[in-house]
Amino acid sequence: MNAKLKETILNPIFKGNPITVLVLGICSSLAVTVTLKGALVMALSVIVVTGISSLILSLLRNTIPGRVRIIVQLVVVAMMVILVDQILKSFEATYAIDKQLSVYIGLIITNCIVMGRIEAFALGNKPIPSLLDGLANGVGYGMILLIVAFFRELLGSGTLFGLRVLPAGYIPNNLVILPPFALILLGCIIWVQRACDKDLQEK
């Protein structure tokens, strides 16, 4: 694997994480991280949509007129989101989670990460690097969602993936399941990342 391709894969997960560095996708990270199940389904959905949409639009990049490129991007992303939503609805194990996430799956269409990577990368690069870039950005997004959801579900409900892990006498902290606590957790993650990576520290 050459250095450029390696950077394409690793950068969105660590140094160029779309949530902690680029501050994209914040709304969904606050809304769907009450449980690990919800966060995992949302993360996988974004990974699939971002990766496949980037691949398709990279393949079409030389045939899309500049004046309608945004419309074409929205159509492709919307098609992928509808497909993912229908797949979630078709399985009993994921149907309840799809209902729980409600409108947030549909709002992937307007997720800045998806549209941002298409504009910034897929429209100017070959299909395979574009696919990897899309998948990597989805993984970076999903990683932060799962970290936040881990602490929110553990401290807010005493469970992980719906299974009780803290003693039965543990009193759930209702503050943890509110969006402001998710924002506090995100702030802590950003602080730790910037403290460990000098390149991200403001001069």
Side-chain angles (χ1 to χ4, degrees), residues 27-47:
C27 295
S28 58
S29 66
L30 302 182
V32 304
T33 53
V34 177
T35 66
L36 271 168
K37 284 183 181 178
L40 180 60
V41 169
M42 186 67 174
L44 292 175
S45 299
V46 171
I47 290 170

Side-chain angles (χ1 to χ4, degrees), residues 146-188:
L146 291 175
I147 292 172
V148 173
F150 173 86
F151 289 104
R152 291 185 75 186
E153 183 176 355
L154 180 65
L155 301 177
S157 304
T159 62
L160 290 176
F161 287 106
L163 302 174
R164 178 157 295 281
V165 294
L166 293 182
Y170 175 75
I171 300 175
N173 188 336
N174 293 329
L175 175 64
V176 175
I177 62 176
L178 297 176
F181 188 81
L183 195 59
I184 292 170
L185 276 175
L186 277 177
C188 291

Side-chain angles (χ1 to χ4, degrees), residues 79-99:
M79 177 186 70
M80 289 306 307
V81 170
I82 292 169
L83 182 61
V84 167
D85 188 47
Q86 291 304 308
I87 291 173
L88 291 176
K89 283 182 168 66
S90 65
F91 292 98
E92 185 178 347
T94 55
Y95 180 77
I97 300 174
D98 181 75
K99 295 292 288 183

Side-chain angles (χ1 to χ4, degrees), residues 11-198:
N11 188 63
I13 300 175
F14 301 107
K15 287 191 174 184
N17 189 281
I19 293 183
T20 60
V21 178
L22 304 179
V23 198
L24 301 174
I26 293 292
C27 295
S28 58
S29 66
L30 302 182
V32 304
T33 53
V34 177
T35 66
L36 271 168
K37 284 183 181 178
L40 180 60
V41 169
M42 186 67 174
L44 292 175
S45 299
V46 171
I47 290 170
V48 170
V49 171
T50 307
I52 304 301
S53 296
S54 293
L55 173 64
I56 293 172
L57 286 159
S58 178
L59 289 168
L60 298 175
R61 70 188 187 281
N62 294 324
T63 64
I64 303 173
R67 289 180 295 178
V68 296
R69 77 180 192 285
I70 299 298
I71 296 174
V72 174
Q73 291 173 31
L74 286 171
V75 169
V76 171
V77 174
M79 177 186 70
M80 289 306 307
V81 170
I82 292 169
L83 182 61
V84 167
D85 188 47
Q86 291 304 308
I87 291 173
L88 291 176
K89 283 182 168 66
S90 65
F91 292 98
E92 185 178 347
T94 55
Y95 180 77
I97 300 174
D98 181 75
K99 295 292 288 183
Q100 177 189 338
L101 294 177
S102 182
V103 70
Y104 296 106
I105 292 291
L107 286 176
I108 294 174
I109 296 171
T110 58
N111 193 309
C112 299
I113 298 169
V114 181
M115 297 299 293
R117 294 322 300 167
I118 291 170
E119 276 286 305
F121 197 93
L123 293 183
N125 290 274
K126 293 181 179 180
I128 296 303
S130 297
L131 171 65
L132 294 175
D133 177 78
L135 293 174
N137 274 275
V139 169
Y141 167 87
M143 181 180 69
I144 301 302
L145 253 63
L146 291 175
I147 292 172
V148 173
F150 173 86
F151 289 104
R152 291 185 75 186
E153 183 176 355
L154 180 65
L155 301 177
S157 304
T159 62
L160 290 176
F161 287 106
L163 302 174
R164 178 157 295 281
V165 294
L166 293 182
Y170 175 75
I171 300 175
N173 188 336
N174 293 329
L175 175 64
V176 175
I177 62 176
L178 297 176
F181 188 81
L183 195 59
I184 292 170
L185 276 175
L186 277 177
C188 291
I189 294 170
I190 293 171
W191 174 70
V192 170
Q193 184 181 18
R194 290 179 182 270
C196 296
D197 191 340
K198 293 182 178 180

